[in-house]
């Protein structure tokens, strides 16, 4: 007998949480939040202070920019999207997107230059991965830029909303962000502790460092993989 959809969804959430090996937090900052984007690729943000002058960086977009378009429609923000995968570049070229959505086919990394990308694991919706899976060899190399480098090129001195879904590269990028003391008001991150080469310890360490630099958790997904942070130090 086929289980109802809501129970299947709950079972998948439990399975993903178990893959995280106990990465579990609670909110430590209570602000109103609102949802933007699709069920699969949406995020919860705080509307406080978001205006048409807000700068949004969207790292990792795949074939779903519903989050970005929702913010543009609601607030008139400018979204700067970064994703180096060929499939994404081809998909973007077929879309009719507003002028406030700007795309660059580069990876955001902790270094300028190039980085290895790897083919996705079977069944994954990700086109390529920066986090190496055991037994895999790189499929290709892509152009990479540090956040600070991109900000200088674009003339930005802050990021109001920074969203990252970059398949395991978030840990190095977050470390670089904190070391560079980049002003970020809201930070939205999907952690990939479910990957065999990462594990829960890296996510726990990343959250500890973020908290030490003033970031507080304002929202957590049911799977404990996606987090929204608010920077109380800005």
């Amino acid at each position: 007998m086929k289980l109802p959809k809501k129970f299947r969804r709950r079972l998948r959430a439990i399975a993903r949480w178990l893959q995280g090996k106990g990465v579990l937090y609670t909110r430590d900052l209570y602000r109103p939040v609102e949802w933007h984007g699709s069920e699969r690729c949406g995020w919860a943000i705080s509307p406080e202070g978001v205006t048409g002058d807000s700068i949004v960086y969207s790292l990792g977009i795949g074939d779903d920019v519903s989050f970005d378009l929702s913010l543009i429609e609601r607030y008139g923000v400018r979204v700067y999207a970064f994703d180096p995968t060929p499939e994404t570049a081809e998909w973007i070229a077929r879309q009719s997107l507003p002028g406030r959505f700007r795309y660059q086919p580069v990876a955001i990394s902790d270094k300028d230059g190039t980085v290895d990308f790897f083919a996705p694991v079977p069944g994954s919706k990700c086109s390529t991965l920066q986090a190496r899976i055991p037994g895999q060899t790189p499929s290709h190399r892509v152009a990479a830029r540090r956040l600070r480098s991109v900000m200088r090129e674009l003339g930005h001195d802050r990021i109001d909303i920074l969203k990252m879904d970059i398949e395991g590269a978030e840990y190095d990028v977050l470390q670089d962000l904190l070391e560079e003391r980049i002003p970020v008001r809201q930070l939205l991150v999907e952690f990939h502790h479910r990957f065999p080469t990462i594990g829960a310890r890296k996510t726990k360490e990343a959250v500890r460092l973020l908290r030490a630099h003033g970031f507080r958790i304002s929202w957590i997904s049911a799977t404990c993989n996606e987090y929204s942070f608010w920077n109380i130090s800005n």
Side-chain angles (χ1 to χ4, degrees):
M1 186 180 80
K2 191 173 183 179
L3 292 171
K5 184 177 180 180
K6 66 177 181 180
F7 290 110
R8 298 201 308 272
R9 187 185 303 121
R10 182 59 179 166
L11 286 173
R12 287 196 298 269
I14 292 172
R16 291 186 71 185
W17 179 83
L18 289 173
Q19 284 181 309
K21 298 179 181 179
V23 174
L24 182 63
Y25 292 95
T26 58
R27 293 171 62 186
D28 50 15
L29 182 69
Y30 288 86
R31 290 180 179 271
V33 295
E34 59 186 25
W35 185 261
H36 287 273
S38 65
E39 180 180 358
R40 177 170 69 93
C41 294
W43 289 86
I45 71 157
S46 170
E48 183 178 335
V50 182
T51 70
D53 294 326
S54 296
I55 297 169
V56 179
Y57 279 26
S58 186
L59 316 186
I61 57 175
D63 61 356
D64 190 324
V65 293
S66 57
F67 167 75
D68 316 273
L69 297 183
S70 178
L71 286 178
I72 292 171
E73 181 179 358
R74 179 70 177 271
Y75 295 106
V77 302
R78 292 190 182 276
V79 175
Y80 299 84
F82 305 87
D83 193 315
T85 60
E87 297 90 346
T88 293
E90 293 169 4
W91 182 83
I92 287 288
R94 297 193 298 269
Q95 309 307 306
S96 177
L97 297 167
R100 288 184 172 269
F101 180 90
R102 300 183 182 183
Y103 166 70
Q104 291 190 34
V106 301
I108 299 299
S109 182
D110 62 337
K111 64 180 181 179
D112 294 319
T114 61
V115 294
D116 287 331
F117 260 53
F118 300 84
V121 295
S124 173
K125 294 179 180 178
C126 308
S127 53
T128 49
L129 305 174
Q130 290 193 55
R132 183 171 183 171
I133 306 300
Q136 282 191 309
T137 56
S139 58
H140 59 286
R141 295 183 68 82
V142 300
R145 302 291 284 155
R146 298 173 69 200
L147 267 178
R148 180 64 80 185
S149 300
V150 169
M151 291 174 68
R152 289 195 186 105
E153 292 168 1
L154 296 173
H156 297 152
D157 59 3
R158 74 183 194 283
I159 303 174
D160 296 292
I161 300 175
L162 172 59
K163 182 223 80 180
M164 60 175 74
D165 180 5
I166 49 180
E167 308 306 317
E170 63 271 13
Y171 302 96
D172 291 337
V173 173
L174 287 172
Q175 180 73 33
D176 189 50
L177 179 154
L178 296 175
E179 290 178 356
E180 286 289 306
R181 300 185 180 276
I182 295 175
V184 174
R185 174 59 61 87
Q186 296 193 57
L187 174 64
L188 321 176
V189 186
E190 178 175 1
F191 290 111
H192 291 80
H193 40 259
R194 64 185 182 276
F195 286 179
T197 54
I198 295 178
R201 181 178 298 177
K202 291 196 71 170
T203 293
K204 291 178 179 179
E205 177 62 13
V207 173
R208 185 191 69 79
L209 287 173
L210 287 169
R211 282 176 162 167
H213 285 79
F215 287 91
R216 298 293 181 266
I217 300 171
S218 58
W219 175 83
I220 308 174
S221 71
T223 61
C224 299
N225 292 330
E226 295 84 14
Y227 291 72
S228 297
F229 296 87
W230 179 275
N231 191 348
I232 63 173
S233 64
N234 281 349

